[in-house]
Amino acid sequence: MIRQVKGKTPRRHPPKKTSNNQKDPVGVYCRVRPLGAEDEECCIEVISNTTIQLHAPDGLKANRNGEFKETQYSFKKVFGIKTTQRELFEDVAKPLVEDLIYCKNGLLFTYGVTGSGKTHTMTGSPGQGGLLPRSLDMIFNSIGPYQAKRYVFKPDDKNGMEVQNQVDALLDRQKRESQTTVPKTPNSRRVDPEFADMISPEEAFTADGVDEDSSYSVFVSYIEIYNNYIYDLLEETPFDPIKPKPPQSKLLREDQNHNMYVAGCTEVEVKSTEEAFEVFWRGQKKRRIANTQLNRESSRSHSVFIIKLAQAPLDADGDNVLQDKNQVNVSQLCLVDLAGSERTSRTRAEGSRLREAGNINQSLMTLRTCIEVLRENQMCGTNKMVPYRDSKVTHLFKNYFDGEGKVRMVVCVNPKADDYEETLLVMRFAEMTQEVEVARPVDRPICGFAAGRRQRNQAFKEELTRRLEDRGGPVNGEIPTILSQLLQSFPSLPASEIAGPNDDVTLPRLIEALEKRHKIRQMMVEEYNKTANMLKSMLQEQDGNVVAKENFISEQRGRLGEKDKMIQNQKNEIDRLEKKSKMLEYKIDILQKTSNIHEEDKRSLQNELESREQRLQRELSDKRRMESRMQGIVSDTKLKWEKECERRVNAKQLEMQNKLWVKDEKLKQLKAIVTEGKSENRQPQRPSREKDKVPPKRSASPSPVPTVPPVRPLHRRSHSAGGERWVDHKPNTNVDLDTVMQPNLPNAIKVSAPSEKALSKCDKYVLTHQEVASDGEIQTKLIKGEVFKTRGGGQSVQFTDIETLKQEYPASASRKRRSSESGPSHEGERTDGDWTDVETRCSVAVEMRAGSNLGPGYQHHGYPKRRKP
Ligand code: ADP
Ligand code: MG
């Protein structure tokens, strides 16, 4: 009859039932790998065995304040570049393996950017085995002698574990061996050279206090999560070289204890480190082949290696595994090599790959979100739903975070500059993860049997063998020689058929034979009794021994109990203190971080203030400069326009005055001619009073007149050698001005009105003309001309020159000068006398014809020889 017992697997309770309220933070470790040969800049410095410091690389050095960015991150422990795989194992994984052996679950994962050393840490490199082979090695070193035979423990397909008796296990073994090529020699040293040197025997660890009265079995599974699909890497599928079947993905299920498991996942029972690692390597190869065939990037997938340890106590005899489902314990250790934590942009993801990369990121993002929510729930006492179900990775490990085992994470970092920004994100995640606490797993219940069963059973077997050997008899259930000899000497019964009434031979022979047999039987009984007595006494002796030993043990146990109590008390005290110190450390940490943040804020605000003040100052001075410049421009412009206006007014005035003067002059000459004509006829000498009474209140500054062809040459009167005779024409209206500089004209004929008679006697003519200049002074003009005889017998005067005499008062001297001096005038300043300068002098001719009624024709020529621009 097959008796199967199902055990609880893994021995966990639904989260609500957890009676244990002690919690531990997730253990987060940091491992810094050495800088690659091609990298130059190192951005990470290990500053203590719990702290690292990140420096921004040169290109990124300055933050907005121009400061150097340096950030520190603390971990449970930091492993620098010189850390050996053994040291890392001892600190990180050894406690988890010990827990596994003591029936507690564990989750260990590596997290980091691709190339940061996750796989090196988890699996290892040639000659440097990682956490995985070392964990396997420690497990087998510890439970080696106490392993159950193959198929005694048998996984069901619902995450449970069955126990079979020896016979069924044997049958299963035989069946299995006949159909597959399961490694038959688990202890053979034929190891794949690819990983043969991963662990060296000198570096082996063994757990203390393994329960010898239990039987153990190890099962391994190896899965890969790619693109949120779960693949079984140990599944044995018949390989079809023509049409290779794509790998089938697996589903996650929840068992009756609410634990998540991969449905239908292969669990291989392994009996040694080598065998286990060989299985792992098989999966690894399969993974590599699948990645190559499907053109996948291995860094984008999560690999999960699950080590399950089944254990059950031996029965009371210490001979067999106890066939009681309640006594089977299964614990598991998950070793997870997560996908590279970098963002999608870092990979050269395109097209369909983009979706894959996105999913992988998604699963890591879900992991981050779950951690975030867990932390928030724990810190703020909230009860938000943790989105474990959003990705396969988190869903599979949900139970761990809900408090079913220790969780540890090794954060791998590459100190190269290229990774800096990704590393920052990794650090933030690590920091957050450390703040999450998971419930401490409870101790397993102790089975009711006395300890030392295995040993006692062993000892008994040995003793029996020895004694039986001592008596020269064969052992192990064969019939002892002495008995067989006796049996052989049993006489056979003679013929018992009586021949007739007279047969007296048969009966006595029979009687004799039977008596002989009876004797032999008695001897056998005696022998049997002897042996039984011997055995009895042996057993009694043993019993006595056992009782004595048990007494001794119970005595010792009593003492042990006391000591245990003491130790427990002290442990509690230590725990309390540790918790307190952790709490305080944590508080200090938070305070420090807060103060750092505040300081940084303060600095940045100060800087901003300064820069704003400077800008304000600059703007103020700019404004002032601008103001003064504007004022300058305004006054300049004003001055310029004032000058320009003045200039234009003056020019206009001059022009108008010139015009007026010319008209005046014309009028005067006309008048003079008219008057002269009349006086020739009637009163030639009478001056025109009305005309001369008031000199025109204008200054004569004729503006240049367009050029006219030169005066036609007239016949010039010859004059006597040695002197010219002048007609000095001074109208009566002229005022005597007491001028010092008076023209001196010897032999002049003075007239108040021009007369033909006087003109005929002279060859020069001068008219003294007075008028009021623009400044109100009286100005005298000497208009000179030459007298010609006309063909008609008359006289004509051709004006050749005008001299202006002007009186000035010292106050206005700077602006007025005598035009006759024709000195250079100030630049840009036009004086009234300009037109009298030699260069601008005009020639004026007045022609008079005797007896003509038409009045004098006149020619008025004025042309500037050169004008200043
Ligand atoms: P990941 O799995 O994070 O992508 P790997 O573990 O594959 O990174 O590491 C990338 C390379 O760096 C490998 O060649 C590995 O041997 C090397 N490496 C990683 N960590 C270390 C270390 N601590 N010491 C020496 N070499 C390392
Ligand atoms: Mg890797």
Side-chain angles (χ1 to χ4, degrees):
M1 193 187 80
I2 295 172
R3 194 157 73 106
Q4 287 186 331
V5 177
K6 234 189 245 177
K8 292 192 295 175
T9 0
R11 194 191 48 71
R12 307 176 234 176
H13 311 277
K16 299 274 152 52
K17 278 200 296 183
T18 310
S19 55
N20 180 23
N21 50 15
Q22 279 188 302
K23 286 185 161 188
D24 294 312
V26 173
V28 181
Y29 299 82
C30 177
R31 187 186 203 180
V32 185
R33 60 158 280 183
L35 204 60
E38 69 282 6
D39 299 309
E40 281 166 4
E41 197 179 351
C42 179
C43 294
I44 297 174
E45 193 187 330
V46 178
I47 56 175
S48 78
N49 63 355
T50 56
T51 313
I52 61 166
Q53 181 160 298
L54 260 68
H55 314 266
D58 279 339
L60 274 172
K61 269 249 152 94
N63 67 1
R64 69 194 154 95
N65 296 329
E67 291 163 3
F68 286 88
K69 241 193 215 165
E70 274 169 3
T71 38
Q72 290 187 358
Y73 295 92
S74 294
F75 298 88
K76 190 161 178 185
K77 192 158 182 188
V78 170
F79 301 97
I81 55 170
K82 292 204 178 100
T83 312
T84 62
Q85 299 278 58
R86 185 181 191 273
E87 284 162 0
L88 188 84
F89 174 79
E90 192 169 3
D91 274 320
V92 179
K94 187 168 162 263
L96 292 179
V97 174
E98 280 165 351
D99 274 6
L100 180 79
I101 290 167
Y102 305 143
C103 290
K104 292 171 190 170
N105 300 315
L107 169 63
L108 172 61
F109 55 92
T110 51
Y111 184 90
V113 176
T114 296
S116 59
K118 295 184 297 297
T119 307
H120 177 78
T121 298
M122 192 53 90
T123 309
S125 309
Q128 301 177 54
L131 300 177
L132 190 148
R134 279 169 204 275
S135 297
L136 287 170
D137 195 47
M138 181 169 164
I139 292 168
F140 287 107
N141 286 339
S142 310
I143 63 158
Y146 315 119
Q147 290 193 70
K149 292 226 166 73
R150 243 178 245 274
Y151 302 114
V152 167
F153 291 102
K154 193 178 176 189
D156 62 10
D157 52 2
K158 296 180 194 73
N159 206 29
M161 193 62 82
E162 294 165 346
V163 187
Q164 299 193 116
N165 62 37
Q166 302 265 20
V167 179
D168 296 326
L170 181 69
L171 287 175
D172 265 3
R173 273 202 297 277
Q174 284 170 350
K175 201 168 84 186
R176 181 82 177 161
E177 276 167 23
S178 66
Q179 54 181 217
T180 57
T181 52
V182 130
K184 280 163 204 138
T185 49
N187 290 320
S188 77
R189 288 275 144 183
R190 185 188 50 79
V191 183
D192 193 326
E194 258 191 289
F195 55 87
D197 56 353
M198 284 272 194
I199 329 135
S200 66
E202 323 65 269
E203 296 192 342
F205 284 98
T206 307
D208 296 327
V210 176
D211 181 11
E212 298 181 354
D213 292 320
S214 286
S215 222
Y216 299 85
S217 254
V218 177
F219 295 84
V220 294
S221 321
Y222 192 19
I223 57 168
E224 179 180 35
I225 303 179
Y226 188 92
N227 200 18
N228 216 24
Y229 286 109
I230 301 176
Y231 299 102
D232 183 356
L233 293 174
L234 301 183
E235 195 170 37
E236 282 178 45
T237 42
F239 180 67
D240 185 350
I242 298 155
K243 205 178 157 197
K245 247 172 60 179
Q248 294 294 301
S249 67
K250 302 279 177 196
L251 295 176
L252 282 183
R253 290 241 171 86
E254 196 176 64
D255 69 7
Q256 54 182 11
N257 295 317
H258 307 286
N259 291 322
M260 300 309 302
Y261 71 100
V262 180
C265 181
T266 314
E267 289 175 276
V268 181
E269 188 173 9
V270 284
K271 292 291 168 202
S272 69
T273 309
E274 289 76 18
E275 191 190 345
F277 204 56
E278 210 161 84
V279 170
F280 167 77
W281 214 250
R282 208 166 68 217
Q284 191 78 344
K285 273 184 189 159
K286 193 167 166 182
R287 185 179 171 203
R288 252 183 263 158
I289 292 167
N291 284 340
T292 318
Q293 279 178 351
L294 303 173
N295 188 27
R296 307 191 304 203
E297 239 179 284
S298 68
S299 69
R300 316 298 308 158
S301 70
H302 315 286
S303 77
V304 184
F305 190 74
I306 302 169
I307 307 172
K308 257 188 194 174
L309 181 68
Q311 53 188 297
L314 293 174
D315 59 13
D317 297 340
D319 199 19
N320 218 331
V321 176
L322 187 69
Q323 307 280 299
D324 178 358
K325 63 173 179 181
N326 292 320
Q327 294 292 338
V328 178
N329 280 301
V330 181
S331 45
Q332 68 176 34
L333 174 61
C334 283
L335 302 175
V336 187
D337 188 354
L338 285 176
S341 70
E342 60 272 6
R343 286 162 292 187
T344 319
S345 59
R346 201 180 133 106
T347 68
R348 38 193 203 326
E350 279 166 29
S352 69
R353 280 231 180 153
L354 191 69
R355 193 172 56 86
E356 292 164 10
N359 265 334
I360 286 148
N361 266 346
Q362 188 61 45
S363 66
L364 284 180
M365 210 152 82
T366 308
L367 177 63
R368 285 193 282 267
T369 313
C370 289
I371 297 278
E372 237 168 59
V373 176
L374 273 170
R375 186 185 63 147
E376 196 189 325
N377 281 348
Q378 287 174 5
M379 288 186 131
C380 315
T382 51
N383 200 12
K384 271 196 191 170
M385 201 190 73
V386 186
Y388 294 118
R389 282 161 192 274
D390 288 0
S391 91
K392 293 283 194 289
V393 179
T394 49
H395 201 188
L396 182 59
F397 298 128
K398 155 178 180 288
N399 307 105
Y400 287 96
F401 289 103
D402 279 344
E404 288 295 338
K406 252 186 206 151
V407 183
R408 290 193 166 185
M409 175 167 88
V410 182
V411 169
C412 297
V413 283
N414 189 341
K416 67 174 178 178
D418 293 352
D419 277 4
Y420 174 75
E421 283 182 86
E422 296 292 348
T423 304
L424 268 186
L425 298 179
V426 170
M427 289 298 142
R428 276 186 211 133
F429 174 65
E431 206 164 45
M432 189 173 65
T433 308
Q434 293 188 80
E435 289 170 4
V436 172
E437 292 189 325
V438 290
R440 190 177 295 176
V442 287
D443 288 320
R444 66 172 170 164
I446 297 157
C447 78
F449 297 111
R453 298 186 302 286
R454 184 188 291 273
Q455 250 182 3
R456 238 179 304 140
N457 180 273
Q458 208 95 32
F460 179 74
K461 275 184 184 164
E462 278 164 17
E463 179 69 14
L464 189 64
T465 310
R466 192 176 54 80
R467 291 211 184 179
L468 286 171
E469 272 173 349
D470 280 354
R471 294 188 48 143
V475 283
N476 286 350
E478 277 180 35
I479 303 164
T481 330
I482 191 163
L483 287 179
S484 70
Q485 279 170 355
L486 283 170
L487 275 174
Q488 275 165 17
S489 62
F490 246 48
S492 54
L493 284 177
S496 55
E497 217 171 285
I498 298 167
N502 301 326
D503 189 356
D504 50 359
V505 183
T506 315
L507 271 178
R509 221 191 296 154
L510 191 65
I511 290 167
E512 195 191 342
L514 284 174
E515 273 174 353
K516 218 173 177 181
R517 280 197 170 203
H518 181 68
K519 235 190 244 164
I520 292 171
R521 185 182 166 269
Q522 270 181 338
M523 271 169 69
M524 280 171 78
V525 169
E526 251 173 60
E527 184 64 26
Y528 170 80
N529 282 342
K530 247 200 247 166
T531 315
N533 282 343
M534 191 193 77
L535 271 174
K536 214 189 244 173
S537 69
M538 227 168 82
L539 281 175
Q540 274 168 352
E541 202 184 301
Q542 290 277 344
D543 265 358
N545 277 351
V546 166
V547 169
K549 277 193 183 152
E550 263 173 12
N551 284 346
F552 177 72
I553 285 169
S554 67
E555 197 184 301
Q556 293 287 333
R557 211 177 264 163
R559 276 195 225 159
L560 206 73
E562 276 169 31
K563 292 247 160 90
D564 266 356
K565 245 187 217 164
M566 244 163 70
I567 289 171
Q568 197 53 47
N569 284 346
Q570 285 179 352
K571 248 190 204 160
N572 288 348
E573 183 64 12
I574 289 171
D575 273 356
R576 199 181 58 79
L577 290 175
E578 263 181 7
K579 236 190 163 176
K580 206 167 146 188
S581 87
K582 233 178 247 170
M583 196 62 209
L584 288 175
E585 268 173 24
Y586 179 67
K587 273 188 192 164
I588 289 171
D589 218 43
I590 287 191
L591 285 175
Q592 239 163 13
K593 272 176 205 158
T594 326
S595 84
N596 280 352
I597 290 171
H598 284 165
E599 241 161 60
E600 207 170 292
D601 277 0
K602 193 182 132 198
R603 242 176 300 161
S604 75
L605 285 175
Q606 266 175 350
N607 282 349
E608 206 174 320
L609 195 74
E610 270 172 31
S611 70
R612 285 201 181 180
E613 264 173 13
Q614 279 174 2
R615 217 167 58 206
L616 203 73
Q617 216 63 42
R618 259 204 317 277
E619 278 171 4
L620 259 172
S621 66
D622 275 358
K623 199 177 132 199
R624 254 182 252 133
R625 250 206 320 276
M626 188 67 104
E627 259 175 19
S628 62
R629 215 170 58 210
M630 289 312 286
Q631 270 172 359
I633 289 173
V634 164
S635 61
D636 275 2
T637 319
K638 206 168 134 193
L639 226 109
K640 206 173 101 189
W641 280 106
E642 270 174 4
K643 262 190 202 160
E644 178 67 15
C645 287
E646 205 180 283
R647 190 184 63 74
R648 287 192 191 170
V649 166
N650 283 345
K652 203 75 196 168
Q653 257 179 4
L654 274 178
E655 194 187 319
M656 298 315 287
Q657 278 168 359
N658 279 348
K659 278 184 188 163
L660 275 174
W661 186 80
V662 169
K663 277 193 181 145
D664 268 0
E665 206 56 41
K666 244 162 50 183
L667 274 171
K668 265 188 248 163
Q669 286 187 3
L670 270 173
K671 211 173 178 180
I673 289 163
V674 168
T675 327
E676 197 182 351
K678 271 184 187 162
S679 65
E680 240 178 348
N681 297 337
R682 290 168 253 168
Q683 281 181 290
Q685 298 285 329
R686 200 183 64 176
S688 158
R689 280 181 183 274
E690 269 173 271
K691 176 193 119 196
D692 294 326
K693 207 148 214 174
V694 184
K697 214 182 160 200
R698 299 171 208 116
S699 72
S701 313
S703 69
V705 179
T707 312
V708 176
V711 177
R712 77 173 174 266
L714 294 169
H715 173 251
R716 198 169 162 194
R717 179 190 303 276
S718 62
H719 43 79
S720 53
E724 296 152 331
R725 283 204 78 187
W726 287 85
V727 174
D728 189 6
H729 175 186
K730 271 187 185 146
N732 292 340
T733 49
N734 280 6
V735 188
D736 198 5
L737 287 173
D738 280 345
T739 314
V740 177
M741 303 287 278
Q742 290 283 350
N744 176 29
L745 299 171
N747 305 325
I749 300 169
K750 283 185 182 154
V751 290
S752 59
S755 68
E756 186 120 11
K757 202 175 137 196
L759 282 173
S760 64
K761 286 176 187 158
C762 301
D763 49 6
K764 296 262 181 184
Y765 169 87
V766 62
L767 167 69
T768 305
H769 167 74
Q770 278 185 336
E771 63 186 13
V772 180
S774 58
D775 54 1
E777 299 293 335
I778 291 175
Q779 158 179 288
T780 308
K781 285 199 169 106
L782 303 177
I783 304 161
K784 298 178 192 169
E786 282 184 36
V787 181
F788 295 92
K789 268 206 160 64
T790 60
R791 257 172 279 165
Q795 311 293 328
S796 93
V797 176
Q798 188 175 356
F799 291 107
T800 56
D801 197 9
I802 298 173
E803 249 177 64
T804 305
L805 307 175
K806 197 170 167 194
Q807 281 190 324
E808 273 179 10
Y809 294 102
S812 53
S814 66
R815 280 180 62 89
K816 293 161 193 168
R817 60 186 68 239
R818 278 195 58 159
S819 61
S820 54
E821 283 169 10
S822 60
S825 57
H826 281 283
E827 254 187 304
E829 189 188 1
R830 271 167 181 247
T831 62
D832 291 349
D834 267 3
W835 69 281
T836 58
D837 287 352
V838 179
E839 291 160 21
T840 57
R841 229 167 257 169
C842 66
S843 55
V844 177
V846 177
E847 192 179 343
M848 283 172 281
R849 266 202 335 222
S852 158
N853 292 347
L854 289 171
Y858 78 92
Q859 287 168 321
H860 182 190
H861 310 286
Y863 47 91
K865 293 209 173 118
R866 179 165 60 90
R867 271 190 83 83
K868 279 178 191 164

